[in-house]
Amino acid sequence: MTTDNAAVPSDVTSATGPTGLIIPALPLTPEAFAPFGQVVQAYADVNAVPSPRTTRITGANQGTAIKFHKLALLESSYPAGAGATAGLSVYRCNPIDVLTGGLWTVKLLERHPYTNQAFIPMGAGEELPQPGTRYLVIVALNGEGDRPDLATMRAFVAHAGQGVVYNTGLWHHPMAVIDKAMDFTCVETQIGDGSDADCEIVNLDESSGHYSVQLPIAL
Ligand SMILES: NC(=O)N[C@@H](O)C(=O)O
């Protein structure tokens, strides 16, 4: 799945602060996230499903459920013989050190060249009785020199009813959970040998100041 950088709206306001460019963390919506991936969630009003309405919505489970079909498809393009397998993992993500309304510095981005990657919040349970309810989604498209195009960096605040799917090869920051720990199920294809084929990380150059994400005052 490829994305045209031009598809990323350039009208997002940003400011230059002491740490470099400041990017506002905006509410995660399928439309805003479309250049980067998909949002996995249900909708209280089935007519609220994002437009253009391409999601198939049906009753399920003998009428006791509503199914929002295939909000994202699983992708894998590992070379034959790479030994990659698709699976589900769980990440217990500790919160980042930031206050609501505060600035959080983006120092690295990663990508997965051969797979898209889903993170689905798992909610409360005996293992995590009071999980967090918000997490940051920080993304950027690929640019010159096969490195992140930082002009396309965007930040979103997702709530615990939203999962996120990063497009194959999309630059993104590792899960950044706000306030309290959260468990996520991660769906991806991996070899699992720690190679760049699975996950490539770039440390962002701080010569012109790190990019910072501005969290909203109210979450
Ligand atoms: N995305 C994220 O949080 N981490 C994974 O991609 C990983 O490879 O650890």
Side-chain angles (χ1 to χ4, degrees):
M1 181 177 290
T2 57
T3 306
D4 172 8
N5 289 15
V8 178
S10 58
D11 60 352
V12 171
T13 56
S14 59
T16 301
T19 61
L21 195 66
I22 295 176
I23 300 168
L26 304 174
L28 181 68
T29 66
E31 295 87 350
F33 197 64
F36 308 106
Q38 299 78 44
V39 176
V40 178
Q41 70 172 88
Y43 295 84
D45 171 7
V46 294
N47 296 308
V49 177
S51 60
R53 178 169 167 170
T54 55
T55 301
R56 180 165 166 256
I57 304 170
T58 65
N61 300 352
Q62 295 74 43
T64 63
I66 300 174
K67 182 175 181 181
F68 300 82
H69 293 250
K70 294 191 179 177
L71 296 170
L73 300 178
L74 300 180
E75 290 181 353
S76 169
S77 49
Y78 278 88
T85 52
L88 289 84
S89 308
V90 171
Y91 282 74
R92 171 156 296 175
C93 301
N94 292 317
I96 58 175
D97 181 17
V98 68
L99 298 172
T100 51
L103 288 178
W104 192 67
T105 302
V106 183
K107 296 185 177 179
L108 62 89
L109 293 172
E110 66 176 35
R111 68 178 174 184
H112 312 295
Y114 299 108
T115 184
N116 62 351
Q117 183 182 52
F119 281 91
I120 314 292
M122 294 181 69
E126 286 182 13
E127 295 299 316
L128 196 63
Q130 294 184 323
T133 61
R134 295 287 188 281
Y135 61 100
L136 280 181
V137 178
I138 302 168
V139 292
L141 300 177
N142 198 34
E144 286 184 22
D146 199 24
R147 288 181 62 84
D149 175 358
L150 298 185
T152 67
M153 191 185 295
R154 296 292 182 269
F156 302 92
V157 177
H159 61 70
Q162 294 177 304
V164 64
V165 181
Y166 299 112
N167 283 339
T168 299
L170 178 81
W171 292 105
H172 60 280
H173 192 279
M175 296 314 287
V177 168
I178 300 169
D179 186 25
K180 290 187 281 184
M182 291 178 73
D183 287 348
F184 294 84
T185 291
C186 172
V187 186
E188 62 185 346
T189 303
Q190 270 203 327
I191 301 169
D193 62 357
S195 71
D196 280 357
D198 279 346
C199 182
E200 194 179 333
I201 297 174
V202 290
N203 293 303
L204 300 184
D205 175 12
E206 60 181 318
S207 59
S208 56
H210 273 307
Y211 283 63
S212 296
V213 171
Q214 174 79 62
L215 271 69
I217 293 172
L219 282 174

